[in-house]
Amino acid sequence: MINLIYYLFFALTLGSALMVVFLRHAVYSALSLVVTMVSIAGIFILINAQLAAFFQILVYAGAIMVLFLFVIMLLNLRHSPPMPGVTRSIRRAGAVLLGVLLIQLLILGVRSGATSMIAEQAKAATTASGKAPEGATITEVALILLTDYLYAFEMTSVLLLVAVIGAMVLARRSISGERNPNLEDSQFIRKLPGA
Amino acid sequence: MEPMLFNGNMLLAILLFSIGAFGFLWKQDAIGMFLCIELMLNASNLAFVSFAQALGRPEGVAAFIFILTVAAAEAGVGLALFIKVFSEKDTIETDTMSMLHD
């Protein structure tokens, strides 16, 4: 039963990730990314990582994707004419080549590197205790964030402050249009009725 | 966590990351490329949380929280930049952003 649900989420994640890439319209791309994130949250629940699942839904699928959708709808994107055929086919062939090579490389790395060691370690712990490791609890995560990783934790709050100030400074003038003469020609003004 | 699920998660993380890198090169608009970057970040999140659950240690979940924060900050600044570029150029196709090149 668990396996069946797992395969369902696996397929849903991969399918919606491919749709993110291949759908032309930005809104549909963003909505498929929401599906990807929610199904990854489902996988987190299946592997008993509830904290990660809740953060995934609250912050990723909730906050970040809403920000994306707001900006996509604010920009009112149109389809521009595609670039010349040869350049585009060269670029797309390169993208396919790199994607395939990257899959090969990552599989090779995971098979030979520390990952297989971790898998063996987990298997040994499972056979020693008779059941699979429970995984990290929210108490352990909170404890390690506020002891070992305290400086990194405080740095992330500084990072968020910098990001908030940076985003406000960057986006402010282009919308209010006070000191930007180019804005007379842009869509924001043209769309206003009677302006 | 079951060993079967660990292997499956590793495979899923590899495929998601590769799809993200592939889409980053495939897409032409800046927002689509940004969505593909989020895809790659999600793949690394999946790998980190799988490691944490397989070993029963909390460090991987802590890394997940840090990546989440960085992704949020990056999305805020990046989207503000796109609004700025769009108000200048009326498009966010990356091929039109060649001011330094010309």
Side-chain angles (χ1 to χ4, degrees), chain B residues 74-97:
Chain B
E74 177 211 335
V77 175
L79 291 173
L81 267 175
F82 293 157
I83 292 178
K84 188 80 174 166
V85 168
F86 187 81
S87 73
E88 300 274 335
K89 292 200 178 262
D90 222 19
T91 178
I92 51 164
E93 298 283 312
T94 44
D95 290 321
T96 62
M97 302 178 198

Side-chain angles (χ1 to χ4, degrees), chain B residues 7-87:
Chain B
N7 290 335
N9 280 346
M10 282 299 110
L11 182 65
L12 185 58
I14 288 172
L15 291 177
L16 266 187
F17 192 91
S18 303
I19 290 174
F22 159 73
F24 183 78
L25 297 174
W26 184 270
K27 287 269 186 185
Q28 288 174 44
D29 60 323
I31 291 225
M33 295 166 94
F34 220 64
L35 292 174
C36 291
I37 293 178
E38 296 292 326
L39 217 52
M40 288 193 271
L41 286 173
N42 265 284
S44 63
N45 277 341
L46 182 63
F48 267 119
V49 174
S50 301
F51 286 144
Q53 296 302 114
L55 295 177
R57 293 169 63 92
E59 282 93 344
V61 184
F64 166 77
I65 291 172
F66 288 137
I67 294 174
L68 200 71
T69 320
V70 171
E74 177 211 335
V77 175
L79 291 173
L81 267 175
F82 293 157
I83 292 178
K84 188 80 174 166
V85 168
F86 187 81
S87 73

Side-chain angles (χ1 to χ4, degrees), chain A residues 75-91:
Chain A
L75 294 187
N76 191 16
L77 300 174
R78 292 150 306 173
H79 284 302
S80 57
M83 53 181 170
V86 181
T87 322
R88 189 169 63 173
S89 358
I90 289 176
R91 184 183 297 192

